[in-house]
Amino acid sequence: MSAAIESFDNPAILSSLVINAPIYIDCRTSVCPEKPIGKDVLSALLKERNNNDGSTGGGGETDETSSQQQQNGADDSFEEGGGEKGLVFLRGTVVKNDQQGECMDVNAFVSDGETTLLKGVSYKRIFAGNPANLIESLSDVARLTNLNPPSIVHFLEDRFMRNTKKSKNSSLREIYSKAGPILIALNPCEPLPSKYDREVMNFYSPRNAASGVKATASSTTTGAEGDVTSSSSVKDLPPHCFQVASNAFEQMMENQLDQAIVISGESGSGKTETTKFIMKFLAATTSHDSSSNGEEKHNIDMFNAVSRDLLMTNPILEAFGNAKTARNLNSSRFGKLIDIKFDKKSNGKLAQAMIETYLLEKSRVVHHSKRERSFHVFYQLLAGASKEEKKKWFLDDAKEGFNYLGGFGVQSKKSVEIDDENKHKETKEALKAIGIADKTIDDIYQTLASVLHLGNIEFDTLNESGHDAAVVKTKDALKYTSELLGVDSAALERSLIKRVISAGGEKIETDLTLTQANDARDALAKAMFEALFEYLVSKINESFARDGAVQRDDEDLVSLNILDIYGFESFQHNTFEQLCINYANESMQKMFNHHLFVVEQKDYETENIEWSRIEFVDNSSTLEVIENKPMGLFALLDDQASFPGATDETYHAKIVSELSNMEKFSCMRKKGTSETSFDIVHYAGSVTYECAGFLEKNRDALPLDLATALYTDNTFEFMKTNIGEALHNRAMETMVTKASKSAKMKSTVCTKFRNQLSGLLQKLNSCEPHFIRCVKPNASLVPTETDQKLILHQCACAGILEATRIAQAGYPTRSLYEDFAHRFGFLVGKDVIESSGVDSKTVTKMILEHFSVDAEEHVKFGTTKIFFKQGVLGALEDARSNAIYYSKIIQASYKGFKQRKEYQRIRSATIIAQASWKGTKQRKEFITLRDRNRAALKIQMAAKKKAFNARVQLRVAERERRELEMRLEEEKREKEEKERLRKEAEAEAAAAARKREEEEAKAKAETDAAAAALKRNNSPESTLDRENSSAASLSEDVDALNNPFVKALKAENEALRASVEAEREEKMALERQIEELREQITAADDALVAAMMQNEQNQQSSPSASTPTGKQEPSRLEKPSAHANKVPSGQASRVIQFVDGMKGEFNSMTRVLDDDVEFIREVAAGGNSGGGGTGGQ
């Protein structure tokens, strides 16, 4: 890739760059090691740029992608440690150009509006850029003034990201661009249904070319130089895959020549989706005709049936031929050519179709990398099969999964990214749609299940007689496989671990080693799947033939071929498959280059431009390394395959000895490669191949024993007739190949592929080709990111850089005389052009003379176009941009001055008109407001009066309520206190009574005891003792009655009765005082109301007069004073405080009313005195 970039360097163009000219800066260190850009400066610059843009390109980068970039762009890092991923070029402008030192100071764009100055940047790092207005006006990269890789990458990036930043509507993104006759399609990495709906199909439909559908579009189509042109041709419409299909259809019907659309690109670039869109477009726009009726109805139905079958092929081929890879969820693992035939006599109705396939990657059946999957159909079977089907095909019996799918429960693990269950339904519906019976569909899926179980057959070694013989270890897998295949289990086991060799007319049975047994099992699985895939392709073609329109002769049909071919591949480890794929791409590139050269030559010849000076270099030397006979890679590989003792090492030694002198071949071993590696320099870069497995993959041998086991004694009819027979015939061909060294009898993979490719190229060379190059914007397939390295690499692999080289060799920039004169004529003066009265060609020459352009060296004049060398038109574009820029400044200054004067005039008139109108309006509003305020004042006075009375009543009631509550609360407390005292007294009295009773009881007991004693002792001494005891008891009773405590208690009770009586008298007196105060307050309120009414009557009787001096304010009215009644209690004090508060509130209200009255008087006085003055104004 670096060589491809460096070949575009042109010091002559760089030395002519002026200040502020757009440029691109190459960030790689290897470009100019003697003048490196500062590591810290450039690292920080790129890091900030990537952070601002969000273009990391490394989040989803796969091992294969990184390996590919290491292989093809190892020198793309800007410093030794690697550098920022994804960014190769920076945009900038020239600050100072030092032609002698071949360096310049530049401003590098870090992000929008931010630049960084880099000094002394070498010419080797600089590429000339293009004006921004030119880039925005073009959709064809070939029309750029300066054609170089940075310009191409920036052009594609700008179109891809342009509308993404302006709008969240992703359907506005420009994913399609042109590079001359090539359509470049960047994968949007997200669905864009609005770009492919029915309306867009009608917009590009060739059926509407003569109608008004394109009238609007053609009137607004942007020309090559950004001008508006008028054309109804599909060629002039915006680039789109529908445009390519419509253009091919138009040329096919107009010229009656076969057409071919070649779609290529690497995995994940969108080739499969583009193919489907084109097929839908052709089926939708060429098979329906609403004007047909009568006898044509039957033919239209048949045309529509072919269209339906054509669309139904997509789910089938994707299920059986596509797989998830590290780069793509739906990668085509085969090449296909769809030959669609149209009927000339029915105005180009779709009549027939046929599909051819190339180089199916059947090795994916038995092996795939860890992050990838096998073909979709296996996962669809496991996810979508019913319980009965899984039981019938033993799918649930494989507890540890299937080895061919990765094992360890893969069948139960659902994919988050792919809906295998719904895809299974779509595939079954598509199989039914092309006419396959339900029983046959079951047989197909049974065959797939047998392949999965076949992969679970594992082998072990049995050491006997000094050699290792393989034996079957997993008997259950063998049993399931044999039942599904319809063969005897013992026969299948014998064919897997033993081989029958014919020697001297005798057959000898030998044991296979463990490795040989595994190879034999995998060979059978690959052969079975390949045969099934070919069977389905044949059934698809049968459906086309069955549902085709009325049969026509070949001369009544023209065909449009759609080729979906795998893109150029280069990984860290490249094997036989990559060599075949790159050989096909190399051959297609040769045809591509030849076609572009022919198109260029035709354009030059049409314009009568000399063509002999332009040199064209093709890639024939690379093709000779691969396909040359008898010493090319393929020829030597076939020869080695004929020798039983040949190995990959002997093959490597052979090609080294025979091809070392060829320019595009190298056998120098690189670091990290094996001893059997070699390099081939392709058009897209050098690729290193490993010879390991070349011979075995080329032979693709299938043991006859295995083929015979499936073909003979087979109870599974579908397997026997469709798979077994094909495998048996192939095994027999292999046996013939080994016995014969004739080239015609060889049946190796490379021979078959070379023959297929030769037929394909022969077919394409007979057609008019149209090219679509699909490009993946970033490795992680993020919709809003771009990776410059990846895009640049794909442009090289797709031949876009080669196409620009071919155009660059001559005069790449060209324009019609009318467009050129219209775009640049104003630069030489309008009077000069109008006065000359000459045609556009003469005006063009005058423009070139005005700018001193050397017409002999840099320009060629054609019949209708002018041709420029690279970079010549850029100077004119700069002059045009500068003229427009300064014209805008002058126009802006004049228009600003003119608009300011006009603004001042309008503003002055507006102020006068507004002042007059506002005065009248304000006077009217004042009168209305005055009358409204008077009425409002009356209403407010009445309302305030009512509100005041209500407030007074409310407060009095509230005050009474509070006083009553307080009184009740005091009475309650007094009552509780009295009750407490009463209870205490009663308790004390009860205690005294109890004590007295106890003493009386004691005395009685003593008396009784004395009496008893008297009875016992009637002596005089006893009588005297009793008398003494009685006297003592009586003395104690007398002492108890005279106790001071009892006396005090009685005195306290008497005092309490007196206090209660006094309090009752005091309350009665307080109530009498409150009643008197209430009467006084009522009288004061009446006096206040009377004063207010008198004041209002006085104001109504004399509204314009001032307030009388003798008028007494309401606040000064005499009110009865609560202090006159000298009430000594606390309740009376609170009443007096309330009355004083009401007095203050009434005074405030009176002052407010007085202010309102004064304001009304002032307004009335001002209105009467100023009426004449206002009217005078």
Side-chain angles (χ1 to χ4, degrees):
M1 184 166 59
S2 60
I5 296 176
E6 289 168 1
S7 64
F8 282 86
D9 291 343
N10 192 337
I13 296 177
L14 298 178
S15 61
S16 63
L17 294 178
V18 297
I19 297 177
N20 292 329
I23 58 168
Y24 297 99
I25 307 166
D26 195 336
C27 301
R28 298 171 303 152
T29 304
S30 60
V31 173
C32 185
E34 67 274 10
K35 273 193 175 183
I37 300 177
K39 179 177 180 180
D40 297 336
V41 175
L42 189 55
S43 299
L45 189 66
L46 296 180
K47 185 174 182 180
E48 185 176 359
R49 167 65 183 272
N50 284 335
N51 289 337
N52 291 335
D53 292 348
S55 315
T56 58
E61 187 175 83
T62 63
D63 295 336
E64 291 186 0
T65 305
S66 60
S67 301
Q68 177 179 349
Q69 292 178 352
Q70 291 173 5
Q71 184 75 14
N72 298 281
D75 59 344
D76 287 345
S77 59
F78 58 86
E79 287 295 345
E80 289 75 2
E84 298 298 326
K85 298 179 180 178
L87 189 60
V88 179
F89 306 106
L90 281 176
R91 292 188 302 114
T93 57
V94 178
V95 175
K96 178 182 178 182
N97 192 350
D98 183 5
Q99 291 91 347
Q100 296 180 354
E102 292 190 350
C103 62
M104 59 179 67
D105 298 343
V106 299
N107 271 330
F109 293 118
V110 179
S111 61
D112 295 338
E114 297 184 9
T115 60
T116 297
L117 179 63
L118 300 178
K119 294 186 177 182
V121 181
S122 173
Y123 276 6
K124 295 182 180 180
R125 290 186 178 273
I126 303 298
F127 291 89
N130 297 278
N133 59 346
L134 179 65
I135 295 176
E136 293 178 358
S137 65
L138 295 179
S139 61
D140 189 349
V141 68
R143 309 307 295 267
L144 294 174
T145 301
N146 293 297
L147 268 178
N148 47 57
S151 298
I152 297 172
V153 173
H154 175 244
F155 181 83
L156 298 178
E157 272 189 314
D158 182 76
R159 287 179 60 82
F160 185 75
M161 302 295 293
R162 186 183 302 164
N163 290 324
T164 305
K165 299 178 181 179
K166 295 180 181 179
S167 173
K168 293 183 178 180
N169 186 2
S170 58
S171 62
L172 299 177
R173 301 169 63 185
E174 297 293 344
I175 62 174
Y176 292 107
S177 304
K178 296 189 71 177
I182 311 168
L183 177 70
I184 304 175
L186 266 73
N187 185 359
C189 306
E190 63 179 343
L192 301 178
S194 59
K195 274 193 172 294
Y196 307 97
D197 56 16
R198 188 70 193 184
E199 183 179 355
V200 178
M201 288 185 182
N202 292 333
F203 182 75
Y204 287 96
S205 174
R207 301 292 187 192
N208 299 324
S211 65
V213 175
K214 291 191 178 69
T216 304
S218 63
S219 63
T220 59
T221 301
T222 304
E225 297 298 332
D227 300 323
V228 176
T229 61
S230 178
S231 175
S232 61
S233 174
V234 180
K235 297 180 180 179
D236 299 319
L237 295 177
H240 198 286
C241 63
F242 291 166
Q243 181 203 26
V244 176
S246 183
N247 185 31
F249 183 84
E250 281 187 349
Q251 292 186 22
M252 177 185 67
M253 298 307 300
E254 181 179 352
N255 303 327
Q256 300 295 305
L257 293 175
D258 295 341
Q259 306 290 313
I261 301 176
V262 181
I263 305 172
S264 64
E266 75 167 41
S267 179
S269 60
K271 300 188 300 297
T272 302
E273 294 300 317
T274 303
T275 303
K276 289 195 294 187
F277 287 138
I278 291 179
M279 291 172 63
K280 288 181 181 179
F281 173 77
L282 293 174
T285 59
T286 62
S287 299
H288 300 275
D289 190 353
S290 59
S291 63
S292 302
N293 50 46
E295 61 182 9
E296 297 183 2
K297 179 66 176 175
H298 174 66
N299 290 344
I300 293 175
D301 292 339
M302 301 184 75
F303 291 134
N304 294 336
V306 177
S307 301
R308 179 202 63 208
D309 293 343
L310 186 62
L311 297 180
M312 285 296 103
T313 61
N314 289 326
I316 300 173
L317 294 177
E318 286 186 9
F320 288 85
N322 289 22
K324 175 190 173 183
T325 65
R327 303 181 184 179
N328 188 7
L329 295 178
N330 189 30
S331 176
S332 297
R333 308 318 299 163
F334 69 103
K336 64 176 176 287
L337 176 70
I338 306 172
D339 187 357
I340 308 174
K341 296 187 181 298
F342 297 88
D343 190 359
K344 300 177 184 178
K345 296 185 177 180
S346 61
N347 193 24
K349 293 286 194 309
L350 196 155
Q352 297 176 8
M354 185 179 69
I355 294 179
E356 297 180 16
T357 60
Y358 305 94
L359 197 63
L360 175 69
E361 189 188 10
K362 56 186 178 181
S363 61
R364 184 171 288 270
V365 174
V366 300
H367 175 73
H368 55 82
S369 63
K370 196 171 185 179
R371 299 172 60 183
E372 299 184 350
R373 298 203 319 177
S374 184
F375 292 100
H376 292 323
V377 68
F378 292 113
Y379 304 91
Q380 295 176 10
L381 171 64
L382 297 176
S386 63
K387 293 183 179 179
E388 293 76 10
E389 290 173 336
K390 290 183 178 180
K391 183 178 180 180
K392 179 173 62 174
W393 298 326
F394 312 109
L395 296 178
D396 288 333
D397 295 334
K399 302 301 181 183
E400 294 184 357
F402 297 99
N403 294 333
Y404 283 165
L405 302 185
F408 304 104
V410 173
Q411 77 279 10
S412 62
K413 183 179 179 181
K414 293 185 178 180
S415 173
V416 179
E417 302 165 320
I418 304 173
D419 190 354
D420 293 315
E421 187 174 355
N422 286 333
K423 291 294 184 180
H424 178 70
K425 297 177 182 178
E426 293 180 7
T427 304
K428 292 188 72 172
E429 291 175 0
L431 291 171
K432 294 178 182 179
I434 63 173
I436 299 180
D438 292 340
K439 176 62 171 61
T440 306
I441 294 176
D442 288 343
D443 294 341
I444 292 172
Y445 284 109
Q446 180 175 335
T447 304
L448 294 172
S450 67
V451 172
L452 293 178
H453 286 292
L454 179 61
N456 282 2
I457 298 178
E458 299 178 1
F459 303 97
D460 202 351
T461 58
L462 181 62
N463 294 325
E464 291 182 357
S465 303
H467 68 277
D468 296 335
V471 294
V472 176
K473 181 172 67 173
T474 53
K475 296 293 184 180
D476 290 341
L478 178 65
K479 176 185 175 184
Y480 300 149
T481 306
S482 60
E483 290 187 14
L484 293 174
L485 292 178
V487 298
D488 181 64
S489 177
L492 179 60
E493 181 180 8
R494 186 169 53 256
S495 61
L496 286 173
I497 62 176
K498 296 183 181 295
R499 189 69 63 242
V500 177
I501 301 175
S502 298
E506 295 182 2
K507 293 184 178 181
I508 303 173
E509 188 176 73
T510 62
D511 296 328
L512 298 181
T513 63
L514 181 62
T515 303
Q516 291 174 339
N518 286 327
D519 292 342
R521 177 201 60 198
D522 294 344
L524 178 61
K526 292 187 290 184
M528 288 172 56
F529 187 82
E530 183 182 30
L532 180 61
F533 183 78
E534 292 175 353
Y535 165 78
L536 290 174
V537 174
S538 65
K539 297 300 290 184
I540 291 173
N541 290 330
E542 288 178 9
S543 69
F544 290 149
R546 180 180 63 253
D547 296 335
V550 178
Q551 297 298 318
R552 303 286 190 188
D553 296 332
D554 291 341
E555 59 268 14
D556 294 333
L557 300 176
V558 286
S559 65
L560 195 157
N561 300 277
I562 303 175
L563 177 63
D564 180 2
I565 194 73
Y566 14 65
F568 187 88
E569 293 186 352
S570 178
F571 305 134
Q572 188 172 5
H573 299 287
N574 301 285
T575 60
F576 179 72
E577 287 83 2
Q578 279 69 50
L579 179 61
C580 293
I581 290 173
N582 292 342
Y583 166 59
N585 278 271
E586 199 75 48
S587 301
M588 297 294 297
Q589 184 66 29
K590 181 179 180 180
M591 185 200 73
F592 173 71
N593 291 347
H594 177 73
H595 171 71
L596 293 180
F597 187 78
V598 170
V599 170
E600 287 285 304
Q601 185 179 17
K602 184 177 180 180
D603 197 7
Y604 279 72
E605 291 176 351
T606 302
E607 295 293 328
N608 295 323
I609 302 295
E610 183 182 357
W611 175 255
S612 58
R613 294 175 54 187
I614 300 175
E615 298 179 358
F616 170 68
V617 179
D618 61 10
N619 57 344
S620 299
S621 57
T622 302
L623 290 173
E624 289 178 358
V625 174
I626 302 174
E627 65 181 7
N628 192 26
K629 295 181 181 180
M631 293 302 171
L633 286 174
F634 282 169
L636 294 174
L637 187 60
D638 286 341
D639 290 340
Q640 289 291 306
S642 303
F643 295 103
T647 62
D648 295 329
E649 289 75 12
T650 60
Y651 172 65
H652 181 264
K654 185 69 174 177
I655 61 175
V656 168
S657 62
E658 298 293 341
L659 303 177
S660 296
N661 58 345
M662 302 192 75
E663 179 185 0
K664 302 296 183 179
F665 178 85
S666 174
C667 59
M668 294 183 63
R669 183 182 176 185
K670 295 181 179 179
K671 184 179 180 180
T673 60
S674 66
E675 296 180 356
T676 59
S677 63
F678 62 91
D679 292 352
I680 297 179
V681 181
H682 293 279
Y683 70 94
S686 178
V687 179
T688 302
Y689 298 95
E690 306 282 347
C691 286
F694 265 46
L695 287 178
E696 189 63 32
K697 292 178 180 179
N698 185 43
R699 292 192 185 105
D700 195 22
L702 176 66
L704 183 61
D705 299 350
L706 289 173
T708 304
L710 296 183
Y711 183 58
T712 59
D713 298 331
N714 195 321
T715 59
F716 185 18
E717 188 61 29
F718 176 82
M719 175 62 64
K720 180 177 181 179
T721 57
N722 298 298
I723 307 297
E725 184 177 0
L727 297 186
H728 187 267
N729 294 336
R730 177 184 158 188
M732 292 300 295
E733 290 179 3
T734 304
M735 297 295 293
V736 173
T737 301
K738 289 183 178 180
S740 175
K741 293 185 179 180
S742 174
K744 294 182 180 180
M745 298 298 293
K746 288 181 179 179
S747 182
T748 59
V749 172
C750 66
T751 300
K752 290 180 180 178
F753 182 67
R754 184 168 52 191
N755 293 337
Q756 280 186 326
L757 184 60
S758 177
L760 173 63
L761 293 174
Q762 185 176 358
K763 187 171 188 176
L764 293 178
N765 287 328
S766 64
C767 301
E768 182 70 22
H770 306 265
F771 297 95
I772 299 179
R773 294 299 193 243
C774 298
V775 176
K776 182 166 59 175
N778 57 79
S780 53
L781 296 179
V782 179
T784 58
E785 291 183 6
T786 56
D787 187 331
Q788 287 187 355
K789 287 185 181 180
L790 189 59
I791 293 175
L792 185 61
H793 173 72
Q794 291 175 93
C795 288
C797 294
I800 298 172
L801 298 184
E802 194 71 21
T804 57
R805 247 187 232 102
I806 294 175
Q808 203 176 28
Y811 299 87
T813 310
R814 57 203 69 174
S815 174
L816 294 172
Y817 288 122
E818 294 80 2
D819 296 340
F820 185 83
H822 176 73
R823 187 172 181 83
F824 299 100
F826 72 94
L827 297 176
V828 298
K830 183 177 179 181
D831 297 337
V832 176
I833 297 177
E834 291 180 353
S835 62
S836 59
V838 294
D839 57 2
S840 299
K841 185 175 182 179
T842 306
V843 173
T844 300
K845 292 182 178 180
M846 294 172 60
I847 295 172
L848 297 178
E849 292 176 359
H850 178 77
F851 288 98
S852 302
V853 177
D854 188 355
E856 293 294 332
E857 183 177 356
H858 301 296
V859 179
K860 288 293 181 183
F861 296 97
T863 306
T864 60
K865 299 178 182 179
I866 180 173
F867 292 70
F868 295 94
K869 278 286 188 181
Q870 180 185 0
V872 175
L873 195 60
L876 298 179
E877 287 289 346
D878 291 338
R880 182 177 181 273
S881 299
N882 292 334
I884 294 175
Y885 174 74
Y886 292 118
S887 298
K888 288 180 179 179
I889 293 177
I890 296 172
Q891 290 176 1
S893 300
Y894 171 73
K895 289 179 180 179
F897 171 78
K898 184 178 179 181
Q899 290 299 322
R900 282 191 295 273
K901 297 292 290 183
E902 181 66 14
Y903 167 75
Q904 292 174 358
R905 184 188 66 80
I906 295 175
R907 181 175 180 273
S908 177
T910 302
I911 291 174
I912 294 174
Q914 288 179 349
S916 177
W917 166 248
K918 287 181 179 178
T920 304
K921 183 179 179 182
Q922 292 298 326
R923 284 190 293 273
K924 291 181 180 180
E925 289 180 354
F926 169 76
I927 294 172
T928 302
L929 181 62
R930 182 190 62 189
D931 296 341
R932 186 179 298 169
N933 286 341
R934 287 178 178 176
L937 184 61
K938 293 179 179 180
I939 297 172
Q940 290 174 1
M941 288 295 296
K944 287 181 179 181
K945 178 181 178 181
K946 292 181 180 180
F948 176 77
N949 292 336
R951 191 163 58 250
V952 169
Q953 295 175 2
L954 180 62
R955 293 197 176 188
V956 170
E958 180 67 20
R959 181 196 63 197
E960 292 176 352
R961 183 185 65 78
R962 288 197 300 268
E963 289 178 353
L964 180 60
E965 289 178 352
M966 292 172 61
R967 187 167 62 251
L968 292 176
E969 185 67 25
E970 288 181 0
E971 290 178 355
K972 182 178 179 181
R973 286 196 302 270
E974 292 174 356
K975 185 177 180 179
E976 290 177 352
E977 182 67 19
K978 291 177 181 180
E979 183 67 19
R980 184 183 63 79
L981 295 174
R982 184 185 63 78
K983 288 181 179 181
E984 289 179 355
E986 289 178 353
E988 292 176 354
R994 282 194 303 273
K995 184 176 181 181
R996 188 168 55 251
E997 289 175 356
E998 290 175 356
E999 291 176 351
E1000 290 177 354
K1002 184 177 179 181
K1004 183 178 180 181
E1006 292 177 353
T1007 303
D1008 292 342
L1014 285 177
K1015 288 180 180 182
R1016 289 190 305 269
N1017 301 314
N1018 291 324
S1019 62
E1021 292 82 5
S1022 300
T1023 304
L1024 183 60
D1025 293 336
R1026 287 193 300 270
E1027 289 178 357
N1028 293 334
S1029 299
S1030 298
S1033 175
L1034 182 62
S1035 178
E1036 290 177 358
D1037 291 339
V1038 172
D1039 294 338
L1041 292 175
N1042 295 326
N1043 191 349
F1045 177 76
V1046 174
K1047 293 180 179 181
L1049 181 62
K1050 290 180 179 180
E1052 185 178 357
N1053 287 337
E1054 293 296 329
L1056 181 61
R1057 291 191 189 97
S1059 175
V1060 171
E1061 191 66 25
E1063 187 71 21
R1064 185 180 295 111
E1065 293 177 358
E1066 184 180 359
K1067 287 182 180 179
M1068 293 177 62
L1070 181 61
E1071 289 177 356
R1072 288 192 299 271
Q1073 294 176 5
I1074 290 172
E1075 186 65 25
E1076 293 175 359
L1077 288 174
R1078 185 180 294 110
E1079 292 176 358
Q1080 294 177 8
I1081 291 172
T1082 303
D1085 291 343
D1086 294 339
L1088 288 174
V1089 172
M1092 291 169 61
M1093 294 179 64
Q1094 183 65 31
N1095 188 15
E1096 184 178 0
Q1097 290 176 2
N1098 294 336
Q1099 291 176 358
Q1100 291 178 355
S1101 61
S1102 58
S1104 60
S1106 61
T1107 305
T1109 58
K1111 182 180 178 181
Q1112 187 178 6
E1113 295 181 358
S1115 61
R1116 298 176 183 177
L1117 292 176
E1118 295 181 358
K1119 302 182 180 67
S1121 175
H1123 298 283
N1125 302 318
K1126 298 180 180 179
V1127 182
S1129 64
Q1131 288 85 351
S1133 303
R1134 288 194 294 271
V1135 172
I1136 293 171
Q1137 292 176 1
F1138 170 74
V1139 171
D1140 292 339
M1142 294 296 296
K1143 177 181 177 181
E1145 182 178 357
F1146 188 81
N1147 292 336
S1148 301
M1149 181 176 175
T1150 304
R1151 285 194 296 271
V1152 173
L1153 293 175
D1154 293 341
D1155 294 339
D1156 292 342
V1157 171
E1158 188 68 20
F1159 170 75
I1160 292 172
R1161 288 173 179 171
E1162 292 177 0
V1163 171
N1168 294 332
S1169 61
T1174 306
Q1177 291 178 0

